[in-house]
Structures are given as C-alpha cells and as structure tokens.
Amino acid sequence: MRIDIVSIFPEYFSPLDVSLIGKARARGILDIRLHQLRDWTHDVHRTVDDTPYGGGPGMVMKPEPWGEALDAIAGDVRRLDAEPGEVPGPGAETVPTLIVPTPSGRPFTQADAVRLAREPWLVFACGRYEGIDGRVVEHARTRMPVEELSIGDYVLAGGEAAVLVMIEAIGRLLPGVLGNAVSAVDDSFAPGAMESLLEGPVYTKPPEWRGLRVPDVLLSGNHGVIARWRRDQALRRTAANRPELVAGMGALDERDRRVLD
Ligand SMILES: Nc1ccccc1-c1cnco1
C-alpha cells in the first residue's frame, strides 16, 4: 500500500518511523510519503490560509495549494503545467482514495479500517485552522473517491493526530504486519470478535503481585471454562463502559443476564 500525507507539519509524522508501522515501511509493505503543503505555494510567505468568506473566527486553508498538491500527488494528467518527471503514482490507471480527517466527518470505525486496508493507495489531507476551503473536496470528488472522517467527538488543532490514528488502525491489518495474525481477528471491534465486545482484563506472570492474585480460572488449564470466563468479563466491561454495544446485541440469554446482574 502507498500512503501520501499532505500537511504543514510533516515532522508530526515521525512516529510512523518506529514500531509496527516503521517495520512495515522497512519491509516494503507500506510506502508512506510525506509532503509539505507549503511547497505548493508561490508567495514569499508560503501562505496557506486566509480569512473566511462570510466572516467568523479563525482562518480557512486556501484552495490553490491543496489543488496543486493533489494534482502533483494524484497525477492529474489533465493538469497542463505538470512538472517534468512527476511520478503520477503506482500506475496511471490507479486512482487514490482521498481521506480528509474532520470533526464534521463520518465516524471512522474498525469496519472502515478493514475496508481501507484493502485499498492500494490512500492520500491523507491534514487540515488545520477552521478547515480547508470546501471547493478542494468538491473538486477532488470529480477525480477520486473522497472520505471525510472523524476519529471522535472532540476538537483537535489539526488532522495530523487523526491521520496517525487511522494509519495505525489500517496499517496493522495489512498482511504480514502483525506477527500473530490471530490478534487482529480477536481485537475488540474486529468483525465477529465476540459480537464486538470490549476485551476483558488480561494478566501475565507473576501469579501474585503486591498481594493481588491472577484469577485462578486462568491457571486452571481448562480452556472451555477460561473462554467462558473471558467472555463474561468482556460482557461485564462492555455493559459498564459501552452499554449501547450490549443493547445492539439483541436479547441476552438467561446466562448473560445472570452475568450482568
Ligand atoms: N478536530 C479536528 C480538527 C482538524 C482536523 C480533524 C479534526 C478531527 C478529526 N476527528 C476528530 O476531530
């Protein structure tokens, strides 16, 4: 998978050099390219924002730099002033999916991560200030799929943190990235993972720590009883922290109702 990220703070993405994603890049599973939006400005101050039409607080990101950046990256062969030697992408016929993190976007979910992990090429546009001029997404939609996505109901200073979250959620699902393929399936929210229940508590050695013992059932070696205990713990934690997920499971059977009583 190829990923392009356009931002006025490309240095924000140094975490993508380490850990799981860093290893995937080193192994050629992920090809992540960072771009400084200001490289597509033409004034001495490398201006990327201006005041909003219609008034209101803050600044809006200008459309011109974004348009030129997406032309250069997405290989818009229709652009007349293409720089010689610009590489359009993995293949002229490949069109990237543009992902724009925004608080007003559709919620980004595990299902989106699974779906986007199948794409050959993603381009992330990191907006700052009050957002990007609406015509950028409008024009981009004429030449590629565009998804405006939110990672949650809180206010960030820009899209960079959201892009890190999405790249980790997507990248870990790529074949060969996770050492133990099973863990991607067992994750909370992974399709089919115990009806999307939150994972219960986990334990490792020592069997007793500061007077606190690991639950005996986990030391019993009885895998059926252990699986049942883990699901009960998952159900209790989900009911406590995300009751709407339990409600979405439909009617609980008698045993599950007893677990929650
Ligand atoms: N708050 C933001 C500001 C700028 C760009 C994205 C966001 C965002 C994305 N998901 C939640 O918030």
Side-chain angles (χ1 to χ4, degrees), residues 101-103 127 149-152 154-159 162:
T102 167
L149 297 174
S150 166
I151 62 164
Y154 31 74
V155 180
L156 305 172

Side-chain angles (χ1 to χ4, degrees), residues 108-127:
F108 174 73
T109 65
Q110 184 66 17
D112 292 308
V114 170
R115 173 174 56 84
L116 292 171
R118 297 191 196 104
E119 290 297 324
W121 186 14
L122 303 176
V123 177
F124 288 89
C126 299

Side-chain angles (χ1 to χ4, degrees), residues 1-7 9-35 122-124 126 159-172 174 177:
M1 177 188 283
R2 173 177 166 177
I3 292 180
D4 289 89
I5 305 172
V6 184
S7 167
F9 296 118
E11 61 278 11
Y12 197 100
F13 295 98
S14 54
L16 297 178
D17 298 330
V18 299
S19 184
L20 210 61
I21 302 300
K23 290 189 176 67
R25 295 175 75 180
R27 290 164 56 200
I29 297 172
L30 258 178
D31 168 12
I32 299 181
R33 306 179 193 191
L34 303 177
H35 306 277
L122 303 176
V123 177
F124 288 89
C126 299
E160 284 79 6
V163 170
L164 282 176
V165 165
M166 289 191 265
I167 288 179
E168 177 148 337
I170 294 164
R172 66 187 291 279
L174 297 178
V177 172

Side-chain angles (χ1 to χ4, degrees), residues 2 4 6 33 35 39-40 65-77 79 81-83 85-89 121 123 143-144:
R2 173 177 166 177
D4 289 89
V6 184
R33 306 179 193 191
H35 306 277
D39 290 350
W40 285 283
W66 280 106
E68 291 188 30
L70 295 177
D71 287 352
I73 293 164
D76 181 346
V77 293
R79 191 165 54 81
D81 59 355
E83 295 299 322
E86 274 182 18
V87 178
W121 186 14
V123 177
R143 53 185 182 167
M144 69 189 85

